[in-house]
Amino acid sequence: MCLCTIVSAQSRWSIGPSAGVCISKTATNDTLANNFTTRNRVGGYFNIVGNFDLNKAAGIHFGVGIINKGYKINNDTLAYNTSINNGFSALTGNLGLSFKQQFSTSNFIMEKFGVCVNYNMFPSTTIDTFNNVDKNTNYRIVQKQINKIYPMFYLGFAMGGSTESGNRYEFNLTYQQSFAVSHEMQVQTGEFYSKSFPLNFRGGNLQLGFTYYFNMGNFQKTEEYFF
């Protein structure tokens, strides 16, 4: 008598978590007043992502998740409480294509591009004011949301490998750029806030993260039989 096991074939479908940090700032074409600078703000993201392999070199990828991004404005003339650091949380969804090049039996590099949608997670009519310090305020930012939902495109690069079971891991670098303005701001300073200049936040960001895909074929039931 012999016991035999039939192992499921690997699937074209895979799914898993993706997480990392994102770097964002105000729009690059904005002009700041003297002594003010815009700085990079570090936030984070988490997605549930999926992939369908069209063939060995190309695939369709998609995902949903949450991201925290924003801006940081600095008054370089101050010795203390120099910055206003503000973040936004948004739900995201993305869809795109990927192209893979193998450089060994299990390791690869990959290019990705596609589109995504952001949904800001707070009321669309909100106007907020942020001070650099609660007492003896030196400057403040008056912020208004312009678009609660806005589209973006992205370009990405990944390096990774495959496990013996067919699972896959990736180290990702992704740039996202918005088609619309998310928020408009007025930076106000001086006596009675008599001086001001405008800024825009479009939601663009640079992401650095890690993704692990579970091959769906590993979840299929194995079959055993005797003869």
Side-chain angles (χ1 to χ4, degrees):
M1 179 178 293
C2 177
L3 171 63
C4 296
T5 301
I6 300 176
V7 180
S8 302
Q10 293 298 300
S11 172
R12 291 188 175 189
W13 291 95
S14 56
I15 191 170
S18 179
V21 299
C22 69
I23 301 171
S24 55
K25 62 192 303 183
T26 54
T28 55
N29 58 349
D30 284 345
T31 301
L32 283 77
N34 291 336
N35 305 319
F36 283 87
T37 54
T38 180
R39 306 291 180 89
N40 291 324
R41 180 186 183 276
V42 179
Y45 71 90
F46 177 81
N47 296 320
I48 297 296
V49 295
N51 184 82
F52 177 76
D53 291 329
L54 298 172
N55 51 49
K56 292 183 178 180
I60 299 173
H61 59 269
F62 50 90
V64 293
I66 188 170
I67 188 170
N68 180 266
K69 51 190 175 180
Y71 60 85
K72 183 178 181 181
I73 304 299
N74 200 73
N75 186 331
D76 299 328
T77 62
L78 300 178
Y80 304 100
N81 303 309
T82 60
S83 299
I84 294 178
N85 186 330
N86 190 32
F88 315 104
S89 293
L91 298 176
T92 66
N94 66 78
L95 176 65
L97 294 173
S98 60
F99 298 95
K100 181 170 62 175
Q101 299 87 47
Q102 297 279 158
F103 59 88
S104 72
T105 56
S106 60
N107 297 317
F108 60 85
I109 59 174
M110 182 181 293
E111 302 81 35
K112 300 181 179 183
F113 70 93
V115 294
C116 59
V117 175
N118 274 226
Y119 177 84
N120 289 330
M121 298 170 59
F122 43 84
S124 59
T125 58
T126 296
I127 297 177
D128 294 310
T129 300
F130 302 94
N131 301 326
N132 73 309
V133 64
D134 292 335
K135 295 182 179 180
N136 300 318
T137 301
N138 301 102
Y139 73 102
R140 67 184 185 182
I141 295 178
V142 179
Q143 170 188 291
K144 180 181 180 181
Q145 181 176 263
I146 301 302
N147 290 294
K148 191 175 183 68
I149 302 174
Y150 55 95
M152 307 180 73
F153 76 90
Y154 63 90
L155 298 171
F157 174 80
M159 297 183 63
S162 301
T163 67
E164 293 183 358
S165 62
N167 295 336
R168 192 172 77 199
Y169 58 90
E170 298 175 3
F171 297 93
N172 304 284
L173 180 66
T174 305
Y175 173 72
Q176 294 187 340
Q177 179 59 54
S178 173
F179 291 111
V181 172
S182 172
H183 292 78
E184 290 181 348
M185 293 90 73
Q186 282 282 337
V187 181
Q188 301 176 346
T189 186
E191 188 176 8
F192 304 114
Y193 303 111
S194 58
K195 299 178 182 179
S196 66
F197 61 92
L199 290 176
N200 295 284
F201 179 73
R202 298 179 62 89
N205 64 90
L206 182 67
Q207 299 178 3
L208 177 64
F210 178 79
T211 304
Y212 194 90
Y213 288 98
F214 296 94
N215 190 282
M216 298 306 292
N218 294 329
F219 296 96
Q220 297 176 11
K221 186 177 181 181
T222 59
E223 297 180 2
E224 296 181 349
Y225 64 95
F226 297 87
F227 69 88

